[in-house]
Amino acid sequence: MLSLHSAVAAAQNEVHFFDWESHFEKGLPWYLSQMPYAFPDQLTVEKTPAYFTSSKVPKRIHQMNPDIKLLLILRDPTERVLSDYTQVFYNRLQKHKRYQPIESVLVKDGEINLGYKALNRSLYYVHMQNWLKYFPLKNIHVVDGDELIRDPFPEMKKVERFLKLESQINASNFYFNKTKGFYCLRDHGRERCLHDSKGRAHPHVAPAILQKLYQFFHEPNKKFFELVGRTFNWK
C-alpha cells in the first residue's frame, strides 16, 4: 500500500538482514544491495515481520540508525494465532504432509499450550518492551491490522502523517474485491491484490477453546495497551 506513494521506494521481498546470521554477517553493504534504487527525496522501506519477535534485532537496527522510523502492523492476537495456524495448515496440505488439528496444537491437558510458538509471538508486550529499550515510542507507529483489513484508507493516512509524507494516497486507490473478501489496490489504471495466501478462511474452533484464547490474551493485551498508550478493539 505504501508503494502507492511516489515518495516511497519499497523492497520487494522480506530481507531478513537483522535476524538471520547468514545475512547479518555479510554486513551493511549487502543490506544496501537488497534495497531498491531510490531518489534522494524518497524514503526506502523494507518489511520483515520476524524482526518484531527477534530479541537481537532492535539493538542491531539502533546501531545502524537510531532515528529510523518503525511501522508495526498488529492484529487481534487471537486472530493472529488462527492466521498463523491457517498458513501452516495450507502449506502442509499443498505439500501433502500430515497436519495437526488446531485443537491439539492450541490445547494441551485441557489448558492453553504455552509451547506453541504462535502464542508466544502474539504476546506483543513482551516484544514491545525490548524495542522500547532502544527506540522512543514516537519513532514507532502501530498500525491497527484489523482496521487495515476492514477499511485501509484511514490507516494509510495515519501512516502518511507518521512518515511526514505529502498527502497522496486517496480513497479511490482502494476497492473491495468481493471474491477475495478484502481490499485491493488501484494505481494509474493498474490493479493489484494481496497474495493468494491472504484472506483464507480460518478453521472452525470450538467456542470453549476460543474463550480460553481470549482469556489467555486478556492480561498481556492490557500490558501492551499501557506500553503504547492506546487501546485496540481486540476481543
Side-chain angles (χ1 to χ4, degrees), residues 5-120:
H5 204 289
S6 65
V8 172
Q12 291 298 304
N13 303 309
E14 294 178 12
V15 182
H16 285 285
F17 175 65
F18 297 100
D19 62 326
W20 287 2
E21 296 305 318
S22 58
H23 285 173
F24 189 69
E25 63 193 21
K26 293 177 182 177
L28 276 176
W30 180 86
Y31 182 57
L32 289 173
S33 75
Q34 304 304 300
M35 294 300 119
Y37 287 107
F39 291 106
D41 60 345
Q42 283 184 307
L43 284 178
T44 304
V45 179
E46 74 113 325
K47 69 156 180 84
T48 304
Y51 289 165
F52 180 55
T53 56
S54 174
S55 59
K56 61 201 168 189
V57 167
K59 184 179 181 181
R60 288 176 170 182
I61 293 180
H62 186 267
Q63 284 170 339
M64 176 189 73
N65 181 1
D67 300 316
I68 204 161
K69 291 280 178 71
L70 300 158
L71 289 164
L72 172 64
I73 306 175
L74 293 181
R75 292 195 69 185
D76 180 325
T78 300
E79 286 296 319
R80 211 210 73 79
V81 167
L82 299 180
S83 189
D84 195 293
Y85 173 84
T86 303
Q87 190 170 350
V88 172
F89 169 79
Y90 278 100
N91 285 346
R92 295 190 74 82
L93 212 59
Q94 284 166 352
K95 292 172 184 172
H96 306 291
K97 289 183 176 180
R98 288 179 63 191
Y99 60 87
Q100 290 176 283
I102 192 161
E103 286 79 5
S104 64
V105 173
L106 287 175
V107 178
K108 196 175 184 181
D109 303 323
E111 292 302 320
I112 289 292
N113 177 15
L114 298 177
Y116 184 37
K117 281 182 181 173
L119 282 171
N120 291 302

Side-chain angles (χ1 to χ4, degrees), residues 199-213:
R200 288 167 170 164
H202 289 174
H204 173 74
V205 183
I209 293 176
L210 268 184
Q211 204 53 45
K212 277 184 191 287
L213 270 180

